[in-house]
């Protein structure tokens, strides 16, 4: 059997249409993916190290900005790192390890100059909950907190690294901004509530429980407040006093705003220094068997004495398994949200996939230095941005500050009061709480997203951070599916408008017949010519919403257009069960009289301007719509589409028998057999608007200008714009109407 015979046999088996038009092919789609693979592979590996694109142009101006920003962030990250380690129920040196590795490694992979990687409040609290969960449910294994934390950093970092390498960063886009804000607000309230007992020296209950329980127990424990409150409350008041005083002075003396800004920046270090000195003066002679009147940090090992490979065993991985999803989500979600925010503010674009690679590498390498999971910090990133950072290389100067602290200041850390660390945490997480103006903006823009924000906050407060983030993600996805599955659509009419008072050129626009969205009540929307319907989609046309469109169009046609077949002469027994007709015989004449007053459907125009995707189910439903309305009208009905933006939508519609004008052979169409359309192609007049309005003038040798159609002539039912489609549909009505 020859090759041509095999091809003919294959075409018969798949019912390949004999008459075809040019459509997009899979080969055309695959060709760019495999063209010049060497160049693409090289570009991929170069993209893994963005530093190579700008390091050769590094100059003294950039160095000055990076040095100031790096040192400034370093002074802040040292006390914050130890505070967050305390929040994670880890020794303070682990916060410094995470701070050092985060800022050092990130600069080589970053696409954001502003983001500062290191310990953050939400991730630290999550680590504390993971440690508690593993040690509670696997007590016999004797896993230590640092072992659990470093293993968590390695596994989560490896997962995020894989997501980045596979270029799956677009998954982050499925979580809306209000959902992230609600989760962050609830988490900040959770963290602050858990730190208040430490601030006041109150003990005797679990500060990692649900927020409302912690608040209740804190109120009950107020009579048991200890001397630690003198340091904690003093530190918190001082932090806010310095901050707001500097803000007022900046506004009053704008020419010295830079000085007041740096004074405000150093408030953490200044307050910590004063409180540590006060704790040393008060406690140095009041030790009883190694215990002091207030709780202090005690010995902090210098250097990297905890550096070793992470403990990764099957039992530990199994124990961490239930908590890995939430830890991984927090790791990349917070970082991507922060990096996008600062990129938007400072006028550059980040690469989400590369950012995932950056934090993935940072955490996998950091686990070998004893670091626990680190991600982008909002407060330190804001500080870095305001300090005038120029490139990601500022992280190296921050790392130098952390190294100096690790090797030269650990003996002074002994006297740091833990209440002061709690004050720093409360002060830092307060910035994560959404402002009333921001929350109100959610309500104004989208009330549904406002309720998502409320749900995320309430679940985080009354349950846990884990359930809060799952609620945020689930609600975001549910809202997205709701919008896709329940799209708005409308039947359109025409309004003639004039662009400006001085213009004499009018144009037609198409608006909903129900006047939805028309603010001027005196604007009259004219229905299209009798027998023509215009329907506009407001979403992509895919399987979740296909039946909604079917119901809208078919129900409208049956309610407003004439039934082609006279049912008054049809016996009751011959009528379908779902259309038995009037109950009384005399009502048949009334039914037929009302039916004759309605116009006959000749053409349906579908506005595809907002449709970017269409699938098999949707095309099949379009075929079903055509079958049902033609059955109702008892005659062929033209389907016009405008505009077809994607060649793949054109391909799908052609596969369903639309656009090409092939006769319908009288059987129920089915997508699998590529149903032919009804008789004849449109006349040259029907597509004239598309040809003349969209032609690309090309001057020939003879000096004449010819018009090239943008919409191919072999698909005359596809139009460049809605106006051309309506005019073509109306011409079909004129052709079908007999002259009197």
């Amino acid at each position: 059997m020859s090759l041509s015979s095999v091809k003919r046999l294959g075409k018969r088996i798949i019912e390949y249409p004999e008459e075809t038009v040019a459509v997009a092919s899979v080969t055309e789609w695959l060709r760019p993916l495999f063209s010049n693979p060497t160049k693409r592979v090289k570009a991929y590996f170069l993209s893994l190290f963005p530093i190579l694109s700008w390091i050769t142009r590094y100059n003294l101006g950039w160095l000055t900005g990076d040095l100031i920003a790096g040192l400034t962030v370093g002074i802040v990250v040292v006390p914050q790192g130890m505070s967050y380690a305390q929040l994670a129920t880890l020794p303070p040196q682990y916060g410094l390890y995470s701070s050092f590795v985060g800022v050092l490694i990130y600069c080589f992979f970053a696409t954001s100059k502003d983001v500062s990687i290191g310990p953050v409040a939400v991730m630290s609290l999550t680590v504390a909950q993971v440690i508690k969960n593993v040690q509670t449910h696997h007590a016999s294994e004797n896993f230590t907190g640092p072992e659990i934390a470093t293993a968590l950093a390695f596994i989560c970092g490896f997962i995020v690294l894989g997501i980045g390498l596979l270029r799956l960063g677009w998954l982050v886009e499925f979580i809306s901004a209000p959902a992230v804000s609600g989760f962050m607000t609830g988490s900040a309230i959770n963290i602050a509530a858990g730190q208040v007992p430490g601030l006041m020296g109150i003990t005797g209950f679990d500060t990692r429980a649900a927020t409302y329980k912690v608040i209740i127990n804190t109120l009950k424990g107020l009579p048991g407040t200890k001397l630690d409150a003198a340091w904690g409350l003093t530190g918190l008041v001082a932090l806010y006093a310095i901050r707001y005083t500097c803000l007022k002075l900046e506004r009053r003396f704008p020419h010295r705003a830079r000085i007041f800004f740096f004074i405000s920046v150093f408030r953490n270090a200044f307050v910590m220094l004063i409180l540590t000195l006060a704790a040393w003066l008060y406690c140095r002679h009041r030790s009883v068997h190694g215990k002091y009147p207030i709780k202090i940090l005690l010995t902090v090992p210098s250097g990297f004495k905890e550096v070793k490979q992470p403990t990764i065993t099957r039992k530990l991985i199994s124990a961490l398994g239930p908590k890995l999803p939430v830890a991984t989500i927090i790791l990349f979600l917070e970082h991507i949200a922060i990096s996008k925010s600062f990129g938007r503010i400072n006028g550059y674009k980040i690469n989400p996939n590369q950012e995932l690679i950056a934090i993935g590498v940072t955490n996998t390498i950091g686990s070998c230095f004893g670091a626990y999971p680190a991600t982008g910090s909002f407060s330190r990133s804001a500080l870095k941005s305001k300090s005038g950072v120029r490139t990601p290389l500022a992280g190296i100067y921050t790392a130098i500050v952390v190294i100096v602290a690790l090797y030269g200041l650990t003996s002074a850390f002994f006297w740091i009061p833990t209440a002061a660390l709690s004050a720093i945490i409360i002060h830092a997480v307060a910035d994560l709480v959404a402002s009333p103006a921001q929350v109100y903006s959610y309500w104004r823009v989208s009330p549904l997203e406002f309720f998502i924000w409320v749900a995320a906050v309430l679940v985080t407060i009354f349950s846990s951070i884990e359930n809060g983030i799952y609620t945020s993600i689930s609600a975001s996805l549910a809202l997205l599916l709701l919008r896709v599955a329940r799209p708005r659509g409308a039947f359109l009419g025409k309004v003639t408008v004039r662009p400006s008072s001085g213009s004499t050129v009018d144009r037609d626009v198409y608006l909903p017949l129900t006047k939805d969205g028309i603010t001027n009540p005196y604007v009259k929307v004219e229905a299209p010519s009798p027998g023509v319907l215009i329907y506009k989609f407001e979403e992509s046309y895919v399987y979740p919403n296909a039946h909604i469109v079917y119901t809208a169009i078919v129900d409208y046609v049956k309610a407003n257009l004439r039934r082609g077949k006279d049912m008054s002469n049809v016996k009751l027994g011959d009528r379908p069960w779902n259309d038995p007709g009037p109950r009384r015989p005399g009502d048949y004449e009334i039914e037929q009289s009302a039916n004759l007053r309605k116009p006959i459907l000749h053409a349906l125009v579908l506005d595809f301007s907002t449709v970017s995707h269409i699938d098999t189910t949707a095309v099949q439903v379009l075929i079903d719509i055509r079958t049902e309305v033609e059955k109702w009208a008892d005659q062929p009905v033209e389907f016009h589409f405008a505009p077809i933006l994607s060649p793949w939508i054109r391909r799908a519609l052609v596969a369903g028998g639309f656009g090409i004008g092939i006769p319908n052979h009288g059987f129920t169409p089915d997508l699998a057999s590529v149903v032919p359309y009804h008789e004849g192609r449109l006349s040259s007049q029907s597509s004239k608007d598309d040809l003349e309005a969209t032609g690309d003038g090309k001057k020939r040798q003879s000096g004449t200008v010819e018009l090239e159609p943008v919409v191919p002539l072999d698909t005359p039912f596809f139009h460049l714009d809605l106006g051309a489609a309506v005019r073509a549909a109306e011409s079909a009505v004129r052709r079908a109407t007999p002259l009197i």
Side-chain angles (χ1 to χ4, degrees):
M1 183 179 291
S2 65
L3 180 61
S4 60
S5 300
V6 173
K7 291 177 66 175
R8 285 195 299 271
L9 177 61
K11 288 183 176 181
R12 284 199 299 270
I13 292 174
I14 65 174
E15 299 184 14
Y16 190 83
E18 294 184 3
E19 183 172 353
T20 61
V21 298
V23 294
S25 68
V26 177
T27 304
E28 293 174 358
W29 179 69
L30 292 175
R31 187 179 294 118
L33 299 179
F34 295 97
S35 63
N36 201 347
T38 304
K39 183 179 179 181
R40 294 172 66 89
V41 171
K42 182 180 178 181
Y44 173 80
F45 282 103
L46 286 176
S47 70
L48 299 179
F49 300 93
I51 191 174
L52 298 177
S53 65
W54 53 264
I55 191 63
T56 55
R57 301 191 301 275
Y58 202 76
N59 54 66
L60 185 61
W62 292 1
L63 172 63
T64 303
D66 289 346
L67 184 61
I68 294 173
L71 295 178
T72 303
V73 173
I75 293 172
V76 173
V77 77
V78 171
Q80 273 196 357
M82 292 188 291
S83 302
Y84 291 147
Q86 179 190 18
L87 178 60
T89 63
L90 294 171
Q93 63 268 25
Y94 287 91
L96 297 177
Y97 299 159
S98 300
S99 302
F100 169 76
V101 179
V103 295
L104 181 65
I105 302 298
Y106 176 70
C107 69
F108 295 99
F109 300 90
T111 60
S112 170
K113 69 181 180 65
D114 299 295
V115 174
S116 177
I117 297 288
V120 296
V122 178
M123 193 72 235
S124 298
L125 182 58
T126 303
V127 170
Q129 293 175 344
V130 171
I131 292 173
K132 178 183 176 181
N133 179 75
V134 172
Q135 291 181 338
T136 301
H137 294 89
H138 302 272
S140 60
E141 302 297 336
N142 294 321
F143 294 125
T144 65
E147 285 178 343
I148 297 169
T150 53
L152 185 67
F154 179 84
I155 298 171
C156 291
F158 191 78
I159 293 172
V160 174
L161 176 61
I163 294 173
L165 291 173
L166 294 174
R167 296 297 191 255
L168 299 177
W170 51 267
L171 292 171
V172 182
E173 309 297 338
F174 283 98
I175 307 174
S176 64
V180 176
S181 174
F183 159 69
M184 296 298 291
T185 297
S187 300
I189 296 172
N190 189 312
I191 293 166
Q195 290 303 304
V196 170
L199 186 81
M200 307 287 289
I202 302 172
T203 58
F205 60 91
D206 183 12
T207 58
R208 304 293 188 273
T211 307
Y212 75 97
K213 293 181 179 179
V214 174
I215 294 174
I216 292 172
N217 289 328
T218 301
L219 294 174
K220 290 180 179 178
L222 283 178
T225 301
K226 297 179 181 178
L227 190 59
D228 299 72
W231 275 260
L233 291 176
T234 301
L236 187 60
V237 171
L239 287 170
Y240 277 105
I242 296 173
R243 176 178 182 175
Y244 289 113
T245 300
C246 289
L247 283 175
K248 288 185 177 180
L249 291 174
E250 283 183 35
R251 297 190 186 102
R252 187 172 180 180
F253 304 102
H255 59 288
R256 296 183 179 176
R258 190 79 171 167
I259 297 174
F260 295 123
F261 166 73
F262 281 106
I263 292 175
S264 178
V265 163
F266 295 143
R267 63 184 181 274
N268 280 343
F270 175 75
V271 169
M272 185 65 70
L273 178 63
I274 297 299
L275 294 179
T276 302
L277 180 60
W280 173 71
L281 292 173
Y282 182 77
C283 296
R284 57 178 177 161
H285 299 307
R286 289 181 171 84
S287 173
V288 179
H289 303 295
K291 294 184 178 180
Y292 294 91
I294 63 172
K295 190 175 180 181
I296 58 177
L297 209 55
L298 301 178
T299 303
V300 177
S302 63
F304 289 94
K305 294 184 178 179
E306 307 296 336
V307 171
K308 61 179 180 179
Q309 68 180 32
T311 302
I312 308 295
T313 64
R314 182 176 298 178
K315 291 182 179 179
L316 182 54
I317 295 174
S318 176
L320 290 172
K323 299 295 181 180
L324 284 177
V326 66
T328 304
I329 291 170
I330 293 174
L331 195 65
F332 67 74
L333 181 62
E334 186 173 358
H335 176 80
I336 296 298
I338 291 170
S339 58
K340 280 187 175 182
S341 175
F342 283 99
R344 183 173 61 252
I345 292 171
N346 294 318
Y348 62 88
K349 181 181 178 182
I350 64 113
N351 183 340
N353 291 309
Q354 184 59 31
E355 289 299 312
L356 293 179
I357 292 172
I359 58 175
V361 172
T362 296
N363 282 278
T364 50
I365 295 178
S367 64
C368 299
F369 285 80
Y372 71 91
T375 187
S377 165
F378 177 80
S379 60
R380 294 196 299 273
S381 298
L383 173 61
K384 190 176 177 184
S385 177
K386 291 179 181 178
S387 298
V389 66
R390 304 300 297 275
T391 72
L393 208 64
I396 291 180
Y397 308 122
T398 301
I400 293 173
V401 176
V402 178
I403 282 287
V404 171
L406 266 170
Y407 281 95
L409 300 176
T410 51
S411 57
F413 295 160
F414 182 95
W415 299 101
I416 293 178
T418 57
L421 296 178
S422 296
I424 288 177
I425 293 174
I426 295 172
H427 183 65
V429 300
D431 291 330
L432 300 178
V433 178
S435 66
Q438 183 180 355
V439 176
Y440 180 58
S441 69
Y442 297 150
W443 173 260
R444 293 188 64 190
V445 174
S446 174
L448 285 177
E449 290 187 304
F450 168 78
F451 287 115
I452 290 177
W453 182 90
V454 172
V457 172
L458 293 179
V459 172
T460 304
I461 291 175
F462 288 97
S463 181
S464 65
I465 286 181
E466 182 176 4
N467 291 335
I469 195 167
Y470 288 150
T471 299
S472 301
I473 295 173
S474 301
S476 296
L477 293 177
L479 180 59
L480 177 64
L481 291 175
L482 178 65
R483 287 171 173 168
V484 172
R486 308 292 297 182
R488 294 196 308 167
F491 289 93
L492 306 182
K494 183 172 66 175
V495 173
T496 302
V497 298
R498 182 165 295 174
S500 63
S501 58
S503 174
T504 58
V505 179
D506 297 340
R507 63 187 180 92
D508 295 334
V509 296
Y510 294 88
L511 301 174
L513 291 171
T514 56
K515 295 190 176 182
D516 291 341
I518 302 176
T519 57
N520 189 341
Y522 299 103
V523 172
K524 183 180 180 181
V525 181
E526 297 179 1
S529 298
V532 175
L533 292 181
I534 309 170
Y535 186 80
K536 179 180 178 62
F537 297 79
E538 293 196 10
E539 283 284 351
S540 286
Y541 191 31
V542 287
Y543 66 91
N545 59 39
H547 185 71
I548 297 292
V549 176
Y550 175 91
T551 302
I553 295 177
V554 171
D555 288 356
Y556 188 90
V557 168
K558 290 184 177 181
N560 298 278
L561 279 302
R562 184 188 304 178
R563 189 169 194 165
K565 186 175 183 180
D566 184 3
M567 301 298 291
S568 61
N569 298 322
V570 178
K571 296 180 180 179
L572 181 61
D574 294 335
R575 296 187 69 140
W577 66 272
N578 59 345
D579 184 21
R583 291 183 178 274
R584 294 176 297 180
D587 292 339
Y588 282 99
E589 290 76 10
I590 299 175
E591 178 190 50
Q592 181 61 14
S593 176
N595 182 54
L596 292 175
R597 288 195 294 270
K598 299 176 181 177
I600 301 173
L601 179 62
H602 292 281
L604 178 62
V605 180
L606 298 177
D607 184 353
F608 266 44
S609 59
T610 58
V611 177
S612 59
H613 294 91
I614 193 170
D615 61 13
T616 304
T617 304
V619 174
Q620 181 61 59
V621 170
L622 271 180
I623 295 172
D624 296 340
I625 292 173
R626 183 179 64 190
T627 302
E628 191 66 23
V629 299
E630 288 186 346
K631 181 180 178 181
W632 179 265
D634 199 29
Q635 67 174 20
V637 176
E638 291 185 354
F639 276 63
H640 297 263
F641 300 84
I644 304 298
L645 301 178
S646 166
W648 296 97
I649 294 179
R650 181 175 182 270
R651 172 190 168 112
L653 291 174
V654 169
F658 293 97
I660 52 180
I662 301 175
N664 187 335
H665 296 294
F667 56 84
T668 301
D670 185 17
L671 178 60
S673 60
V674 190
V675 185
Y677 205 34
H678 57 75
E679 294 184 1
R681 296 181 180 272
L682 283 177
S683 65
S684 58
Q685 176 65 33
S686 65
S687 58
K688 183 178 179 182
D689 289 326
D690 290 310
L691 177 64
E692 293 185 349
T694 65
D696 177 21
K698 295 182 179 179
K699 192 169 184 178
R700 309 300 181 186
Q701 291 182 357
S702 61
T704 61
V705 176
E706 297 183 1
L707 295 176
E708 297 291 341
V710 175
V711 179
L713 295 179
D714 55 3
T715 52
F717 290 90
F718 295 156
H719 305 273
L720 184 64
D721 58 48
L722 187 58
V726 173
R727 288 190 291 273
E730 290 174 340
S731 69
V733 176
R734 290 193 295 271
R735 292 195 307 272
T737 304
L739 297 176
I740 299 176

